[in-house]
Amino acid sequence: MAGYLLKRLLLVIPTLFGIMLFSFIIIQFAPGGPVERMIAELMGHSSSIVSRMGGGGGDGLAGGAGAQLGGGAADAVSSKYRGAQGLDPKFIKELEKQFGFDKPAHERFFLMMKNYLTFDFGKSYFRDVSVLDLIKEKLPVSISLGLWMMLITYLISIPLGIRKAVNDGTPFDSWTSAVLVIGYAIPGFLFAVLLLILFAGSSFFQWFPSRGLFSDNWDELSFIGKVGDYMWHLALPIIAMAIGSFTAMTFLTKNSFLDEIRKQYVVAARAKGLNENQVLYGHVFRNAMLLIIAGFPAAFIGAFFSGALLIETIFSLDGLGLLAFESIEKRDYPVVFASLYIFSLVGLIVGIVTDFVYTLVDPRIDFETREV
């Protein structure tokens, strides 16, 4: 097993490199970019951009921006950027240098990957803060949503799936299936809006807060009060996120257990005089759970990073999902690529951990005998 895990760890590097390279190439052909965005804002809102760029104390572009937009337009020449008419080409070159676009694409890519090896993600283009600090700032929200959603989903879906398998075809199995299918059919964001209107709006009940992760008086609360306030704010978002995830996990658990229950070794175990609990949890459980464990990496990544975008928006929770979306929209490439790098790295590592857990659940599995 140690040799297999070592091979998988070594494969992380080329896999991660391939993901970043493919994404970087796509970005090169995407319309727009940070330079174009800055030019558009300069042409439309020069005064606000000047103050923003001046606040960073960087390249001194702010001082010249006003002059470049003034009467010198007659001396300006056309540039490769759409909408740049009226701007001095020297100023455009300074913008390119500020964003790192004065270097060839391949040089920018390898410089980025060199920095990423040491988790140096640089600074956001449009926020005066390092990308790592920005991600750390948003991480608690995503961890809170993802961790609690996964915990609740697994704690409810696995026991329910086992019971449905044991009682297959009974009225209990039928009505729980109907409830699960209805819950799955309701989009999470629509259910979130419904919860917000019913339980966090002024029209019906004001039982829960409608935004944020903490109350304004958080620092004044006791430890017990902080725990209660934290769970109070998380209740509606977690319910909205988990409503659809119960169905897939429950049916996956049920079908996995049904497949194992019908196998010959279960008949043999019962013939030896073992009771149903001994058969179910002593023999069936570890075999049936392999399929559940296999889906853990995708569930982990989805819950922590990509599955909460609409929920974060509806409940005004500033997490990683919303950060990644806004960064793509604004062409804030350092944040976009840093998020992709971290998400991909976590996904690859979790996949390796999952294989290790396989061997803990069922020691008969030997990864050493198969190709990586």
Side-chain angles (χ1 to χ4, degrees):
M1 185 63 184
Y4 170 78
L5 292 178
L6 180 60
K7 292 177 183 177
R8 287 290 302 272
L9 285 171
L10 292 176
L11 277 175
V12 166
I13 298 174
T15 304
L16 194 58
F17 183 87
I19 292 172
M20 298 301 296
L21 178 61
F22 184 71
S23 303
F24 187 85
I25 292 173
I26 292 178
I27 288 293
Q28 304 312 302
F29 294 98
V35 176
E36 288 92 334
R37 182 179 178 84
M38 186 62 75
I39 289 172
E41 294 193 21
L42 280 169
M43 297 299 289
H45 308 90
S46 59
S47 59
S48 62
I49 286 295
V50 167
S51 62
R52 181 190 302 179
M53 294 174 70
D59 300 347
L61 296 177
Q68 307 301 335
L69 293 168
D75 299 325
V77 295
S78 61
S79 79
K80 61 182 178 180
Y81 298 107
R82 185 172 57 181
Q85 291 78 10
L87 290 177
D88 193 325
K90 292 182 180 179
F91 179 69
I92 300 297
K93 289 186 179 298
E94 289 178 354
L95 273 179
E96 289 180 329
K97 184 177 180 181
Q98 182 187 23
F99 292 116
F101 285 89
D102 57 327
K103 302 180 180 67
H106 69 277
E107 187 176 336
R108 285 187 280 119
F109 175 75
F110 285 109
L111 179 61
M112 179 184 74
M113 292 305 297
K114 177 184 176 182
N115 293 333
Y116 281 14
L117 289 176
T118 58
F119 292 93
D120 178 10
F121 300 115
K123 296 185 69 173
S124 168
Y125 284 161
F126 303 105
R127 310 183 198 210
D128 191 23
V129 63
S130 73
V131 174
L132 199 57
D133 289 339
L134 195 59
I135 292 176
K136 288 179 180 178
E137 179 186 340
K138 313 299 182 183
L139 196 57
V141 173
S142 294
I143 288 179
S144 297
L145 291 174
L147 185 63
W148 285 110
M149 193 207 77
M150 287 195 64
L151 181 63
I152 292 173
T153 299
Y154 273 75
L155 286 178
I156 293 177
S157 296
I158 292 177
L160 180 59
I162 294 174
R163 187 174 177 187
K164 284 175 66 63
V166 173
N167 297 278
D168 183 41
T170 65
F172 171 81
D173 181 42
S174 300
W175 73 260
T176 52
S177 295
V179 171
L180 289 170
V181 169
I182 292 173
Y184 185 75
I186 300 175
F189 73 91
L190 188 61
F191 192 68
V193 172
L194 177 64
L195 291 175
L196 199 62
I197 294 173
L198 289 178
F199 302 111
S202 56
S203 301
F204 295 92
F205 305 101
Q206 191 65 46
W207 292 349
F208 296 93
S210 61
R211 58 187 298 124
L213 198 59
F214 308 107
S215 297
D216 294 335
N217 63 337
W218 168 264
D219 294 332
E220 302 172 5
L221 299 175
S222 64
F223 175 76
I224 300 298
K226 288 181 178 179
V227 172
D229 183 76
Y230 170 74
M231 299 305 299
W232 185 45
H233 280 76
L234 277 179
L236 295 186
I238 294 299
I239 293 173
M241 287 181 65
I243 188 69
S245 61
F246 288 134
T247 304
M249 181 61 66
T250 301
F251 281 115
L252 180 63
T253 303
K254 174 191 172 181
N255 293 332
S256 180
F257 271 80
L258 279 177
D259 287 342
E260 295 297 325
I261 287 173
R262 293 165 180 166
K263 290 183 178 179
Q264 190 63 38
Y265 74 90
V266 175
V267 177
R270 287 171 177 163
K272 292 179 180 179
L274 298 179
N275 60 44
E276 284 301 310
N277 283 338
Q278 289 175 322
V279 171
L280 193 63
Y281 295 104
H283 293 76
V284 175
F285 184 82
R286 68 178 183 180
N287 294 324
M289 284 301 294
L290 292 176
L291 195 58
I292 311 301
I293 294 172
F296 180 79
F300 180 92
I301 299 299
F304 275 76
F305 301 120
S306 62
L309 171 59
L310 293 175
I311 303 299
E312 289 177 8
T313 303
I314 292 170
F315 290 99
S316 299
L317 299 171
D318 198 5
L320 290 177
L322 188 59
L323 172 65
F325 175 77
E326 290 179 345
S327 299
I328 294 172
E329 186 180 37
K330 295 177 180 179
R331 303 298 193 269
D332 196 348
Y333 292 154
V335 180
V336 172
F337 284 118
S339 301
L340 177 64
Y341 182 85
I342 293 173
F343 297 174
S344 302
L345 180 61
V346 171
L348 292 169
I349 297 300
V350 169
I352 296 173
V353 173
T354 299
D355 283 349
F356 178 70
V357 175
Y358 267 136
T359 63
L360 295 180
V361 174
D362 190 348
R364 295 171 299 173
I365 294 178
D366 183 11
F367 289 105
E368 295 281 3
T369 59
R370 73 170 194 177
E371 295 293 332
V372 176

